[in-house]
Amino acid sequence: MTVNIDPSWKQHLEDEFSKPYFENLVSFVKSEYASGTCYPKGSQIFSAFDHCSFDDVKVVIIGQDPYHGVGQANGLCFSVNDNIELPPSLVNIYKEIEADLSIKMPSSGNLERWADQGVLLLNATLTVKAHQAGSHQNKGWETFTDKVIEMVSKEKENVIFMLWGGYAKKKGAKIDRSKHCVLESGHPSPLSANRGYWFGNKHFSKANTYLAAKGKKIIQW
């Protein structure tokens, strides 16, 4: 099956695209997009991979599924398009960056600038039906994104994995911690953050310290 994804990923994931689960997933997604509004738009479903090639991956941030409101999702976890109101979780991410690195909170929630520096912003599920949170879960996307995480863990070294909240921690349970840096905390959603499980994790400075120690260019958060 031909999938329009960055060539650097295609060579690593080619086998997945011909598996029955993925063919079923593609049929489901095509049907959903044909019969109603879904997000992100078709050309952005694999944006996380298109903005961050396999060779460039320095950091992996794991989200759950895309935003389901009008104009929000752009294929990168926690990210929204320009000129869209910042979602609460992203506000808390920006607040932690400001406290950690003294970087003033930007007005735009578009995180393409992170992805272009080597941050793989990977949702577990890459599509969603408009206004129906979680509507495309358990259709095959999770199997695919588990394979992506497994492949990055197996074939690369010194990658930083940021696992925020129980879902991400479970998804990243098989990461090889002997050769990668795994940073864990609560989720940045208000429910978790306001209970003290998010703020003060200093993941962004820790990531840059690790990258610098490995001789890699730090991320401009």
Side-chain angles (χ1 to χ4, degrees):
M1 179 173 291
T2 302
V3 176
N4 189 19
I5 193 171
D6 180 85
S8 70
W9 288 98
K10 196 163 200 168
Q11 63 179 342
H12 291 281
L13 295 168
E14 194 78 68
D15 290 347
E16 294 301 296
F17 301 148
S18 59
K19 290 180 179 177
Y21 89 85
F22 197 86
E23 293 183 347
N24 291 336
L25 170 63
V26 169
S27 295
F28 167 77
V29 170
K30 283 182 176 178
S31 173
E32 288 285 280
Y33 273 72
S35 63
T37 303
C38 297
Y39 301 117
K41 62 184 181 182
S43 62
Q44 292 183 322
I45 291 174
F46 293 106
S47 278
F49 305 91
D50 295 333
H51 281 276
C52 179
S53 74
F54 179 80
D55 294 337
D56 290 341
V57 175
K58 297 178 183 175
V59 180
V60 179
I61 298 177
I62 299 173
Q64 196 157 353
D65 60 350
Y67 298 117
H68 54 83
V70 177
Q72 289 182 299
N74 64 1
L76 309 175
C77 72
F78 295 104
S79 173
V80 290
N81 286 305
D82 291 318
N83 302 315
I84 295 291
E85 184 179 354
L86 301 182
S89 291
L90 185 54
V91 169
N92 286 337
I93 289 169
Y94 280 169
K95 283 181 178 177
E96 176 58 25
I97 291 171
E98 188 165 2
D100 187 16
L101 295 170
S102 300
I103 296 172
K104 194 169 183 287
M105 186 181 296
S107 57
S108 173
N110 191 334
L111 302 181
E112 287 179 0
R113 65 187 185 281
W114 292 5
D116 291 337
Q117 296 177 76
V119 182
L120 181 65
L121 294 163
L122 182 67
N123 273 318
T125 302
L126 300 189
T127 57
V128 69
K129 201 172 186 70
H131 313 302
Q132 294 184 31
S135 51
H136 288 185
Q137 290 179 3
N138 303 313
K139 301 295 184 181
W141 278 129
E142 294 90 342
T143 303
F144 174 70
T145 51
D146 279 347
K147 185 66 180 179
V148 171
I149 293 165
E150 176 191 328
M151 190 190 64
V152 172
S153 174
K154 184 178 178 182
E155 298 186 22
K156 293 184 71 73
E157 292 184 358
N158 303 323
V159 173
I160 300 155
F161 290 86
M162 295 184 178
L163 309 180
W164 300 337
Y167 184 89
K169 290 173 188 175
K170 187 175 179 182
K171 188 127 180 114
K174 295 181 180 177
I175 294 164
D176 185 347
R177 296 174 185 234
S178 69
K179 62 173 184 171
H180 298 292
C181 173
V182 178
L183 302 175
E184 298 183 340
S185 78
H187 196 276
S189 68
L191 185 64
S192 172
N194 294 339
R195 288 179 179 170
Y197 299 135
W198 166 256
F199 292 116
N201 66 31
K202 298 188 181 298
H203 279 191
F204 305 96
S205 61
K206 288 175 180 176
N208 278 351
T209 298
Y210 182 85
L211 289 172
K214 299 298 180 183
K216 297 183 180 184
K217 192 173 181 180
I218 65 171
I219 304 295
Q220 298 301 317
W221 300 106

